[in-house]
Amino acid sequence: MPLMPSPITTRYAPSPTGRMHLGNARTALFNYLLAKAQGGRFVLRVEDTDLERGSEAFLESQLADLRWLGLDWEAGPGKEDERGPYRQSARGGLYEDHYRRLVGTGSTYPCYCSATELEVSRRTQLAAGQPPRYAGTCRELNAIERARHEAAGRRPTLRFRVPPGRRVAFDDLVRGPQEVSTEEIGDFVVRRADGVPVFFFCNALDDALMGVTHVLRGEDHLTNTPRQLLLLEALGLAPPAYGHLPMLLGADGAPLSKRRGSASVGDLRAAGYLPAAVTNYLLRLGHAGAPDDWVDPAAQSGAFRLDRVGRAPAHFDEVQLQHWQREAVKRLDPAALEAWLAPALPDSLGARERGLLGATVSHNVVFPCDALPWVEVLFGELPPLPDDLAQVVERAGPGFFRAALAALEATGPDLAALAREVRQRTGRKGAELFMPLRIALTGRGDGPELGPLLGALPPSTLRHRLAVHAGGRD
RNA sequence: GCUCCCAUCGUCUAGAGGCCCAGGACACAGCCCUCUCAAGGCUGGUACGAGGGUUCGAAUCCCUCUGGGAGCGCCA
């Protein structure tokens, strides 16, 4: 009998210190898909211990981005369960308990070095060609020395005592076996002097406490991993499996930063990109498991293959994103299309008009604002024709438009019937027949198919626009 | 500075020694289809960063270089 696959738990752990950019979004997506692919859970944990830099507004915007992308969490903010709370700012008691355990096992020691002292030490090491690591000044302080520092009013940080002469090994989910010597790791701070826990500590501890089994995160965390493994080991907790995703670079090859507007999820949304377009694009950035064609969001977890995640950094390419955007727009149903278009349309536009507009331009727009010119074409006034188009109309001549008017009376706004009728009356066909009609009716030489346009234009407008060119002699 | 990671068309990538004078997708160009644009179909150009090895044979293995990235924080 096959074993029941053990349900996995993945997480995304945003820090509300800025807006979500595409790199974050991909990390969230991959974690989400990994969980879904195996019938597991995806949880969200807010890493908001850094009170100074974080803000509630950033948190809200990130949660909104996640929901917009369709990455809903089984547990997290707004969905608390027995593993919570899911905001680190509410987990102080848990952290205190575990600090006590660390102190109790002698895994840590108070460090009284000041920021300036540490900075000087770092510079000295750098100048000597050494990697800057904590020198161990406070590692073996005795009670008297500690008391002296305390008496001087120094508040200590808590440092983790990295065991010397060991190798820390782990199997990276995307990079394979990794191994480092503890000699390469300096004793690191686990609690700041003001009592605030640091990232290494809460991040690793919370993953263990929340039952997270798999963590996909940016490659920038790769060298953190041995520290976190050591920490969890000292705490007697089982670590998750870690996988490190290559970084996402901008088109210029520089890392994506929060200052790059184009890389922010919120900006993409504001520009009119659809979430399914973004996830289809992201699904292929540094991941070769997806097929070449569109993958519906519901099917994306099935297309995600952990063993097809690459190790080389990938570049953000807006042209490629736009390709998926076109694919996404094509697949919008009428109601979704209308909702998507709405923000770009004038408030005065009625519900009926919005429906007609959507049905007409759906294959000709990439962003909602692309529909705006067609509002005027369909329901407004036409500007004077540019010369080249005016010539086409003139060549057709007033007689053509008189025939078209008559045909319209006879057939109504049905393109096939109308075209047949006009052909009979004028002998014209093909572009000779359709282009003058298109230009007279829309004022442009390009655009959606004529059939839907005929149906969308009010009958009085149809007659009027043909009549404008029907005067005069042939 | 030190440590680690990465390296195939412009971009995303396939490729785990002969199946590759390198395949696909996007973009680009041309043609077809067509009332236009788009879509669709077909065709085309463009890549193994450089240099050394190993091998009968290397995009694939090894070394050096170059280029890029990450880490070395009382940031996350």
Side-chain angles (χ1 to χ4, degrees), chain A residues 151-203:
Chain A
R154 287 192 165 194
R155 313 280 336 133
T157 62
L158 199 60
R159 263 185 207 275
F160 186 81
R161 195 187 295 278
V162 174
R166 273 191 49 194
R167 307 200 72 81
V168 183
F170 67 101
D171 199 7
D172 191 284
L173 260 14
V174 342
R175 293 170 173 266
Q178 309 283 316
E179 193 183 81
V180 284
S181 161
T182 54
E183 298 302 324
E184 288 169 27
I185 307 172
D187 291 351
F188 54 93
V189 171
V190 292
R191 187 180 61 201
R192 308 199 315 206
D194 59 7
V196 175
V198 305
F199 163 80
F200 285 124
F201 177 78
C202 340
N203 180 267

Side-chain angles (χ1 to χ4, degrees), chain A residues 10-38:
Chain A
T10 67
R11 53 78 166 173
Y12 176 62
S15 166
T17 53
R19 310 217 292 157
M20 184 188 281
H21 61 71
L22 273 182
N24 305 137
R26 186 184 60 161
T27 300
L29 175 69
F30 283 14
N31 277 291
Y32 175 86
L33 296 178
L34 177 62
K36 296 297 154 187
Q38 302 189 30

Side-chain angles (χ1 to χ4, degrees), chain A residues 16-90:
Chain A
T17 53
R19 310 217 292 157
M20 184 188 281
H21 61 71
L22 273 182
N24 305 137
R26 186 184 60 161
T27 300
L29 175 69
F30 283 14
N31 277 291
Y32 175 86
L33 296 178
L34 177 62
K36 296 297 154 187
Q38 302 189 30
R41 288 169 15 110
F42 173 67
V43 307
L44 191 64
R45 177 178 69 240
V46 180
E47 309 222 320
D48 57 351
T49 55
D50 185 11
L51 289 338
E52 278 107 68
R53 294 202 304 157
S55 89
E56 204 59 26
F58 281 139
L59 174 60
E60 282 312 316
S61 92
Q62 293 206 26
L63 296 184
D65 288 342
L66 248 12
R67 288 194 195 94
W68 178 72
L69 287 168
L71 309 182
D72 268 315
W73 48 97
E74 261 84 65
K79 285 189 182 171
E80 293 294 341
D81 65 9
E82 69 287 353
R83 301 269 204 180
Y86 285 91
R87 293 183 64 149
Q88 291 187 330
S89 56

Side-chain angles (χ1 to χ4, degrees), chain A residues 93-363:
Chain A
L94 250 14
Y95 301 144
E96 282 315 312
D97 293 346
H98 287 85
Y99 280 133
R100 269 194 291 277
R101 283 172 60 179
L102 280 178
V103 172
T105 59
S107 310
T108 59
Y109 58 89
C111 170
Y112 296 91
C113 298
S114 71
T116 332
E117 288 164 349
L118 293 171
E119 184 55 30
V120 168
S121 162
R122 250 193 300 278
R123 290 215 187 136
T124 312
Q125 294 178 79
L126 239 21
Q130 297 294 313
R133 292 200 194 102
Y134 181 61
T137 320
C138 297
R139 202 170 215 249
E140 310 297 346
L141 291 186
N142 60 35
I144 299 163
E145 291 164 316
R146 284 178 192 172
R148 200 168 55 230
H149 279 123
E150 295 284 344
R154 287 192 165 194
R155 313 280 336 133
T157 62
L158 199 60
R159 263 185 207 275
F160 186 81
R161 195 187 295 278
V162 174
R166 273 191 49 194
R167 307 200 72 81
V168 183
F170 67 101
D171 199 7
D172 191 284
L173 260 14
V174 342
R175 293 170 173 266
Q178 309 283 316
E179 193 183 81
V180 284
S181 161
T182 54
E183 298 302 324
E184 288 169 27
I185 307 172
D187 291 351
F188 54 93
V189 171
V190 292
R191 187 180 61 201
R192 308 199 315 206
D194 59 7
V196 175
V198 305
F199 163 80
F200 285 124
F201 177 78
C202 340
N203 180 267
L205 178 62
D206 285 343
D207 282 337
L209 260 25
M210 291 174 176
V212 172
T213 59
H214 293 67
V215 172
L216 297 179
R217 46 165 28 171
E219 184 196 300
D220 47 341
H221 292 286
L222 183 61
T223 53
N224 291 339
T225 310
R227 283 168 243 265
Q228 298 194 302
L229 257 14
L230 250 15
L231 206 40
L232 288 175
E233 179 190 282
L235 252 10
L237 295 169
Y242 292 102
H244 293 90
L245 269 17
M247 299 275 98
L248 227 47
L249 273 25
D252 54 1
L256 289 183
S257 83
K258 286 171 179 145
R259 284 158 56 193
R260 269 173 182 285
S262 65
S264 134
V265 174
D267 286 341
L268 294 180
R269 174 170 40 166
Y273 280 104
L274 289 159
V278 176
T279 56
N280 260 275
Y281 176 57
L282 256 19
L283 184 61
R284 295 163 171 91
L285 261 190
H287 172 245
D292 282 337
D293 44 2
W294 178 261
V295 181
D296 203 66
Q300 285 176 0
S301 64
F304 181 72
R305 300 263 313 273
L306 194 49
D307 61 342
R308 310 261 47 194
V309 174
R311 286 134 308 231
H315 298 77
F316 170 65
D317 178 15
E318 187 157 13
V319 173
Q320 239 157 128
L321 211 207
Q322 282 192 19
H323 166 254
W324 295 113
Q325 170 73 355
R326 276 186 214 100
E327 295 294 312
V329 172
K330 270 202 283 197
R331 288 168 172 81
L332 249 22
D333 65 49
L337 182 71
E338 221 179 292
W340 173 68
L341 249 20
L345 303 181
D347 293 336
S348 57
L349 201 64
R352 199 183 111 78
E353 282 75 19
R354 286 167 188 265
L356 285 170
L357 177 75
T360 309
V361 304
S362 64
H363 290 307

Side-chain angles (χ1 to χ4, degrees), chain A residues 379-446:
Chain A
F379 312 115
E381 294 295 318
L382 252 31
L385 288 177
D387 285 349
D388 52 335
L389 298 186
Q391 278 174 21
V392 176
V393 166
E394 272 168 40
R395 263 200 304 276
F400 173 84
F401 290 101
R402 280 196 292 274
L405 270 171
L408 182 64
E409 289 308 316
T411 67
D414 175 82
L415 183 67
L418 181 76
R420 202 179 313 121
E421 191 69 25
V422 175
R423 189 183 318 131
Q424 265 169 24
R425 289 168 188 260
T426 65
R428 289 166 178 267
K429 57 181 178 155
E432 293 273 282
L433 165 64
F434 289 99
M435 278 315 281
L437 283 178
R438 166 179 294 281
I439 292 167
L441 292 173
T442 69
R444 334 184 7 165
D446 63 347

